[in-house]
Amino acid sequence: MRLAIMRHGEAAWDAPSDELRPLTERGQKLSSQVAGRLLEANELALKPERLIVSPYLRAQQTADCVLSVIGGVPKDHCELITPDGNPREVIEWLYGYVEQYPKLQSLMLITHNPFVSDLISLLVDGQPRRGDSALPVMDTSTLVLLETDLVAVGCCTLLGSYRA
């Protein structure tokens, strides 16, 4: 299974709450470009079959940018993948989610930092992110592509990263 994990695009800071921060024009443009790079790499193998998205506005808008490029796929919201989410809890949730769809070949998450960096580190390295990690830095509109037979701690292989 291929698992694409993306950090939302650049967001404005002038919002009534963190949950309501919208993407900037630049954030929209770069998020669409990253989705395009994912398709350019190998459309059939890398296009996600389902999207799981944080409920925060900037993540929802990033998902809309991605969907405008890759086409419509089912989109689910997950309250667990917010900036303060618990990566171990999400890995357990993802395991159960994937079990619900036994034929699922590819999945994409759109979420936030610092959560996204910790999640990727646990999935690939099996431990929390360290300063000397060789994993990509998850700037806004950055996407990593992982491959795994089992969604579990330390069971994923990093295939590549994409940024605008």
Side-chain angles (χ1 to χ4, degrees):
M1 182 176 118
R2 302 244 170 143
L3 178 61
I5 304 176
M6 183 175 182
R7 182 177 174 201
H8 64 79
E10 177 185 89
W13 288 99
D14 56 344
S17 68
D18 188 40
E19 294 86 358
L20 297 176
R21 290 177 48 217
L23 289 183
T24 63
E25 282 186 39
R26 181 175 188 269
Q28 293 172 22
K29 178 182 173 186
L30 295 181
S31 294
S32 296
Q33 286 178 359
V34 168
R37 291 221 171 113
L38 180 68
L39 288 183
E40 289 168 8
N42 184 341
E43 182 174 346
L44 295 177
L46 303 182
K47 181 178 175 180
E49 297 170 65
R50 298 189 75 86
L51 247 58
I52 300 173
V53 186
S54 159
Y56 285 28
L57 178 60
R58 59 191 179 273
Q60 293 295 317
Q61 290 176 324
T62 300
D64 292 342
C65 293
V66 168
L67 289 171
S68 73
V69 173
I70 68 169
V73 299
K75 179 172 82 168
D76 294 317
H77 301 95
C78 179
E79 300 285 334
L80 301 174
I81 61 173
T82 61
D84 298 321
N86 180 324
R88 290 186 187 277
E89 185 177 314
V90 170
I91 291 170
E92 289 178 28
W93 181 87
L94 274 173
Y95 178 84
Y97 184 91
V98 170
E99 289 292 305
Q100 293 176 32
Y101 303 97
K103 295 184 181 188
L104 191 65
Q105 298 288 317
S106 58
L107 178 65
M108 183 175 189
L109 274 70
I110 299 177
T111 185
H112 311 266
N113 238 353
F115 167 78
V116 70
S117 295
D118 294 336
L119 176 66
I120 293 165
S121 185
L122 278 173
L123 287 168
V124 174
D125 292 339
Q127 59 190 346
R129 188 166 180 96
R130 300 182 319 221
D132 64 346
S133 176
L135 293 172
V137 173
M138 294 302 293
D139 294 324
T140 55
S141 297
T142 298
L143 180 146
V144 298
L145 185 63
L146 308 176
E147 188 168 58
T148 188
D149 291 327
L150 175 69
V151 178
V153 172
C155 290
C156 294
T157 301
L158 177 67
L159 296 179
S161 64
Y162 302 84
R163 56 178 44 138

